[in-house]
Amino acid sequence: TWQMLTAHAPHALDGLRKLTGGEALPPSLADRFHTASGSAFNLYGPTEATIWATAAQLTADDSGISIGSPLANMRVYVLDEGLDVVPVGVVGELYIAGEGVARGYVGRPDLTAGRFVADVFGPAGARMYRTGDVVRWRADGGLEYLGRSDDQVKVRGFRIELGEVESVLAGHGSVAHVAVVVREDRPGDRRLVAYVVPAVGVAGSGVVGELRVLVRRVLPEYMVPAAFVVLDVLPLTANGKLDRRGLPVPDYGVEGAGRGPRDVREEVLCSLFADVLGVERVGIDDGFFDLGGHSLLATRLASRVRSVLGWEMPLRALFDTPTVAGLVQGMDGAGGVRLPVTAVRGSRGGRVPVSFAQRRLWFLGRLGTLGSAYNIPLAVRLTGVLDESALAAAVADVVDRHEVLRTLIGEEEG
């Protein structure tokens, strides 16, 4: 229902007084509905409560969509995992009791036992329905819907309510619909991804930057999505629910289009960023966290920087200046960065600057991805008696003739 109405022109809502839908009412649609009708009501109730349980009259200055307070003959509780009542403002699961609650599911005693439980706050023999919806009481006495309890996920050790992240994003005026999911596109790397449908007439290219600023201002770092994907419409199942399997795989590196490296340190850091983030390319102005980075990957990056460049990169430095260009400035202030030089043995002796190709080989060797790409194995079959002295002298002549064979890549502080 909401998807259909969002696609219509604003005047299509003129005269409407009440609407029902199978999903949470988007804030942008609530604003349009209130403007068009002058008096908008949001009704909530699962089928098991036959059929409405709460109602709210929406106002133009609502911060977050309220599902209101219980209707006549209905009782609602916001409880924690131990079935204790939570205070105002604290997130909990919504339970419904009263005359409208069903007796259970026909022929499904197992499912009934899991959803219909004894009402410890009501009269003897009363039962309440566990909705699975996550809500919290507002100061004005209404309930604010935040999402589903089965949307509670654990990412990098933190418990996250996906509905809470969606609620923040949906509060932006340029967003019509939003869905936040956890993806594991690389084994062991779980990331939050936000799928956003812009409001009518809003360009998707400008929304992402504003949403990043919004969530970083309101939410802690571990709740900030690693990627934002702009869609024309969210995929739905046949019964109008979000089709999570139909959500596309995000391209975490799509925003990596900044300036290229200007020296060897920036080249090394760009490669380390790309390797840790699992993206193809990183520019010196691209933000580590904008490309899907998080605290765990930041720790991994610090370890790689230490082993390759010899710099003890403070994690605080990455959070303060999460770009290659910013980190290089920190290197200049800290010092102690190892850079490659060439030590030449032979007639010339001394040290000479390394070439760009030699710097690349040095970096790949430090990174551990070089493997045997630049090793040339050679097998020689000899007949007769081997003159070891003659063979050693021949090899020595080759090394003496070709200077590159007696060149070593060393390191110096710089």
Side-chain angles (χ1 to χ4, degrees):
T1 304
W2 307 145
Q3 296 253 7
M4 177 192 70
L5 289 173
T6 303
H8 283 72
H11 62 77
L13 301 179
D14 292 347
L16 291 176
R17 295 301 302 271
K18 294 183 179 68
L19 290 175
T20 62
E23 297 286 347
L25 177 62
S28 59
L29 183 58
D31 292 340
R32 289 177 53 193
F33 186 35
H34 182 274
T35 301
S37 65
S39 179
F41 295 87
N42 190 28
L43 303 177
Y44 164 85
T47 303
E48 291 84 352
T50 59
I51 187 169
W52 305 120
T54 67
Q57 182 171 1
L58 304 181
T59 61
D61 58 351
D62 259 341
S63 57
I65 300 301
S66 173
I67 59 174
S69 54
L71 299 173
N73 298 322
M74 302 297 290
R75 301 186 301 277
V76 295
Y77 312 111
V78 183
L79 309 178
D80 60 17
E81 294 180 354
L83 297 184
D84 292 321
V85 176
V86 302
V88 173
V90 176
V91 175
E93 187 170 352
L94 180 62
Y95 288 75
I96 300 176
E99 298 301 325
V101 176
R103 301 296 299 171
Y105 301 104
V106 177
R108 295 294 306 275
D110 54 339
L111 188 59
T112 298
R115 285 295 180 180
F116 294 87
V117 297
D119 181 3
V120 297
F121 309 100
R127 63 174 57 195
M128 56 185 180
Y129 172 65
R130 178 186 178 188
T131 66
D133 291 326
V134 177
V135 299
R136 61 185 166 201
W137 286 109
R138 305 196 324 178
D140 60 6
L143 289 167
E144 182 179 352
Y145 177 85
L146 298 175
R148 295 283 302 167
S149 61
D150 47 20
D151 284 344
Q152 186 183 77
V153 297
K154 197 170 185 179
V155 179
R156 306 189 302 278
F158 295 99
R159 289 196 176 275
I160 299 174
E161 296 284 354
L162 296 181
E164 193 165 0
V165 184
E166 291 176 347
S167 178
V168 172
L169 295 173
H172 193 283
S174 298
V175 174
H177 304 285
V178 62
V180 178
V181 301
V182 175
R183 299 191 64 100
E184 191 172 350
D185 298 305
R186 292 196 300 176
D189 186 10
R190 291 166 58 83
R191 303 186 185 188
L192 287 180
V193 178
Y195 294 88
V196 178
V197 177
V200 176
V202 176
S205 57
V207 172
V208 172
E210 296 177 5
L211 293 180
R212 286 192 188 279
V213 173
L214 172 65
V215 293
R216 283 181 176 151
R217 186 177 68 247
V218 176
L219 300 175
E221 180 272 332
Y222 65 87
M223 296 181 69
V224 176
F228 289 81
V229 181
V230 178
L231 301 175
D232 294 331
V233 63
L234 292 176
L236 302 177
T237 62
N239 58 1
K241 302 294 184 180
L242 177 67
D243 182 7
R244 297 180 182 273
R245 294 184 178 180
L247 295 171
V249 177
D251 184 356
Y252 296 102
V254 72
E255 297 176 41
R259 293 180 297 164
R262 299 165 295 185
D263 57 35
V264 65
R265 291 179 303 175
E266 291 184 346
E267 181 188 6
V268 170
L269 279 175
C270 284
S271 297
L272 288 175
F273 268 49
D275 182 64
V276 170
L277 293 169
V279 300
E280 183 176 347
R281 176 184 178 274
V282 173
I284 64 173
D285 302 312
D286 298 329
F288 180 81
F289 301 102
D290 291 343
L291 297 179
H294 48 70
S295 55
L296 183 60
L297 290 181
T299 303
R300 190 176 304 170
L301 176 65
S303 176
R304 303 300 294 274
V305 170
R306 182 189 309 114
S307 64
V308 174
L309 290 175
W311 180 44
E312 290 291 341
M313 183 190 75
L315 290 181
R316 184 72 261 169
L318 182 62
F319 281 92
D320 290 340
T321 55
T323 65
V324 168
L327 291 178
V328 168
Q329 290 183 354
M331 286 182 182
D332 292 336
V337 178
R338 290 196 299 265
L339 295 176
V341 298
T342 301
V344 180
R345 295 178 179 177
S347 57
R348 292 196 297 169
R351 296 184 175 188
V352 297
V354 295
S355 67
F356 182 83
Q358 288 172 320
R359 288 177 176 177
R360 179 175 179 273
L361 290 177
W362 168 85
F363 164 65
L364 292 176
R366 297 288 300 181
L367 190 60
T369 60
L370 186 59
S372 60
Y374 289 91
N375 295 332
I376 304 176
L378 180 64
V380 179
R381 177 175 295 178
L382 303 175
T383 59
V385 180
L386 175 63
D387 188 338
E388 296 184 6
S389 299
L391 179 60
V395 173
D397 286 341
V398 173
V399 173
D400 187 60
R401 179 179 180 83
H402 299 286
E403 186 179 72
V404 68
L405 297 179
R406 31 182 222 282
T407 299
L408 301 176
I409 303 293
E411 293 174 350
E412 68 178 4
E413 299 297 325

